[in-house]
Structures are given as C-alpha cells and as structure tokens.
Amino acid sequence: LIRLGALRSYGWASVAAGVLSLTVVLGLAAADALTLERAMGATVLQLTTLGILLTVAVGRRTGFGALVPGGSRRALRLLLGAGVAMHLAWVAMYLNLRIDLFLVSALTDAEETGLYSLATSLAEIMFFAAWTIAHAAARTQTEAEPEVAARYTLEFVRQSWLIVVVLAAAASAAAYPLIVVAYGSEWTSSALPFAILSFAAVAFALEAPVRVLLARVARPAVVVQPAVVGAVANVVLNLLLVPSLGISGAALASVISYWTYALLLLRRFEHATGLPLRTAFRRPGPDDLLVRALAAIRVRVRPAR
C-alpha cells in the first residue's frame, strides 16, 4: 500500500486494529481480568486484524486474484534472500532498545529498569513518527528512474530531518511536564532519558528514506552491516556508560549507536549513488517545507494593523 501511495488506507487499517486492541485491553482492565497472557493475546489480535485489513485494501486495488501465490523459482529465491537479509537489519535496529533494557536490568535495579522502560516507550513514538514520514517517499523512490529517485531521496532526507529536529526539540522540552501529568511525580526520572532518546528520531529521519532507496539499488548486505555495527556499538557503550551515568547513560548509548548506524548508511548511499551528502545538510532556505511552515505560522499570529 505504501508502494502504491495508498497511505490513507494504510493509516485507517492501522488505527482500526490499534483501537480494537486498546478496547480489549481496557475492557479486561475494567473487569480486573488483565494478565500478561491476555495482553499478549490482544497484541496478536491487533496484528491479525491489521493483516486482514491490509490484505483487503491491497486486493481492492490490484484485484484479489493478484494475491494468489505464484511466480518463478528465481523470483522466490530473490524474495527469500533479500527478505532474510533485510529482516536481519530490522532485528538489529529493533533490538537496540531491547538490549538497553536488558543491560539496564543487569547493571541497575528494578526501579531504574522501570523508569527506563517508560522513557523508551515514549521515545518509540518519536521513532515511529520519523518512519511514518518516510513512507511518503516510497512511491517516487520505486517508480522514478534510479538517478531521479536518488536525488529525490536526498532532498526528502533534507526536508524530513529538519522537521524531526523540531519535533524532537519540542518533545524533549515537554518531557518533564508530560511525564508528571500523565504518569505522576514518581516517574520524573524518566524525563531526561526520554529527552535524550528523542534525538535518536532525527537519525531515523535520515536513515529511513535512504534504506528504501538502497534496497532498490544495492545489495541487502549494504543495509545489514551498518545496522549490526550500530547494535554492537550500543552494547559496548551501555557497558561503559550505564555504571557511571545510569539510565541516562543507556539513553546516550542508544543515541550514539543509532547515529552511527544512520551515518554509515548515508555513506553507503553516497557510494552507491555518487551524490554528495552535504546536499542533505545545507542551511535551510526559503523553499524548505519547515521554513515555509514557520513563515505561515508567523503570518497567522501577526497582529492585524
């Protein structure tokens, strides 16, 4: 659906599945019947519902006959080979925060682990925001000629990371009051790790569009290797920083490791396309989306003369 540009269908399917899962969990909680196993069952229900809704949405656009399995053995080999390699990259990325929690639990106590768990859960909202923005680029990245798609990707990266910087700054500034109001004063120690982790979202704004383009023009290993390096760096940095800085050190380790992964991926992009990375980091100009949005806001709030 992302490839077809059907982002609205994708979004509504995700919302419907999420609302269903949340309704089940709230109902169980209200009946004082919520357990770990039932919460996991609600997650399975959510993913199953999402899969069904997305399949129906695709079938309506392509015809349901197109969903019948088929194709050559060569296509199947390519599909499995690329799928396994890209899956390894995703596992390495997703394990980063899970590795953090594991190491925090091993190096600190249960209270610190709980505080860091809240910080990572809130930070993941920022990460998904960065990944969601990247979905908008997928259609052009896969339909345009390779050279055009590469230039478009670089410009898209430039626009998206500027937007996510503003979102991350706003989230880090609101971290303390947000946690106090939503969770209570006993959770305030989660605010600093959350504020630190928010800036990892900027790294995802850089890597997500680049990863999609590299999946088209390069071997899957080009994406896997930076992700693995980032995960290994996260383990080493956690072992160095958590004993002295606690959960803030774990957050800092994650940010450094995600930026390591993103910058390595950007270097691979530069090598694969021959386009200079400095284009993505030049000063914002009047044509940039963020500058235009800020100018529009300034016009609206300017007092009438």
Side-chain angles (χ1 to χ4, degrees):
L1 288 172
I2 293 170
R3 165 66 178 79
L4 295 173
L7 298 181
R8 181 173 297 178
S9 296
Y10 176 83
W12 279 114
S14 301
V15 168
V19 168
L20 175 62
S21 176
L22 181 60
T23 302
V24 171
V25 170
L26 291 177
L28 290 170
D32 198 23
L34 183 60
T35 64
L36 175 62
E37 291 78 13
R38 288 170 180 168
M40 293 174 67
T43 300
V44 172
L45 176 64
Q46 175 186 354
L47 294 175
T48 303
T49 303
L50 178 61
I52 293 171
L53 292 175
L54 293 179
T55 301
V56 171
V58 170
R60 290 178 61 186
R61 284 164 174 76
T62 64
F64 288 95
L67 301 177
V68 177
S72 65
R73 291 184 178 181
R74 180 175 179 274
L76 182 61
R77 286 196 302 269
L78 290 172
L79 175 65
L80 291 176
V84 169
M86 295 302 292
H87 183 66
L88 289 174
W90 273 103
V91 167
M93 284 189 291
Y94 274 115
L95 277 180
N96 252 0
L97 285 178
R98 307 302 179 264
I99 291 171
D100 279 6
L101 282 172
F102 175 78
L103 293 175
V104 166
S105 67
L107 298 173
T108 62
D109 55 26
E111 180 180 355
E112 291 288 288
T113 303
L115 291 167
Y116 191 64
S117 179
L118 174 60
T120 58
S121 296
L122 293 174
E124 283 183 328
I125 298 173
M126 296 293 301
F127 300 166
F128 284 119
W131 285 326
T132 301
I133 291 172
H135 290 342
R139 186 170 190 176
T140 301
Q141 287 180 300
T142 52
E143 286 186 354
E145 292 296 322
E147 184 177 349
V148 174
R151 294 186 180 279
Y152 174 83
T153 299
L154 201 58
E155 182 59 28
F156 190 93
V157 165
R158 180 168 173 272
Q159 301 290 337
S160 59
W161 81 260
L162 289 170
I163 293 171
V164 175
V165 162
V166 175
L167 295 176
S172 61
Y176 184 85
L178 170 67
I179 289 175
V180 169
V181 172
Y183 296 94
S185 58
E186 63 271 22
W187 292 92
T188 54
S189 295
S190 297
L192 180 57
F194 169 51
I196 295 172
L197 285 168
S198 295
F199 287 93
V202 183
F204 289 124
L206 293 169
E207 69 83 22
V210 167
R211 174 165 34 86
V212 173
L213 195 281
L214 286 176
R216 176 185 177 182
V217 302
R219 296 178 296 107
V222 169
V223 178
V224 176
Q225 291 167 358
V228 172
V229 170
V232 172
N234 194 28
V235 173
V236 174
L237 289 168
N238 266 279
L239 294 175
L240 292 174
L241 297 177
V242 171
S244 57
L245 299 177
I247 58 176
S248 295
L252 186 59
S254 265
V255 172
I256 294 173
S257 65
Y258 281 132
W259 273 95
T260 299
Y261 155 67
L263 293 175
L264 286 173
L265 205 63
L266 285 169
R267 291 293 297 174
R268 298 298 178 88
F269 173 87
E270 186 177 48
H271 178 75
T273 64
L275 297 176
L277 290 178
R278 63 179 179 273
T279 304
F281 296 100
R282 70 176 186 265
R283 289 179 56 186
D287 293 332
D288 289 312
L289 291 176
L290 180 62
V291 175
R292 289 161 59 188
L294 292 175
I297 293 172
R298 196 160 50 244
V299 168
R300 288 179 184 176
V301 301
R302 184 179 298 164
R305 294 181 180 178

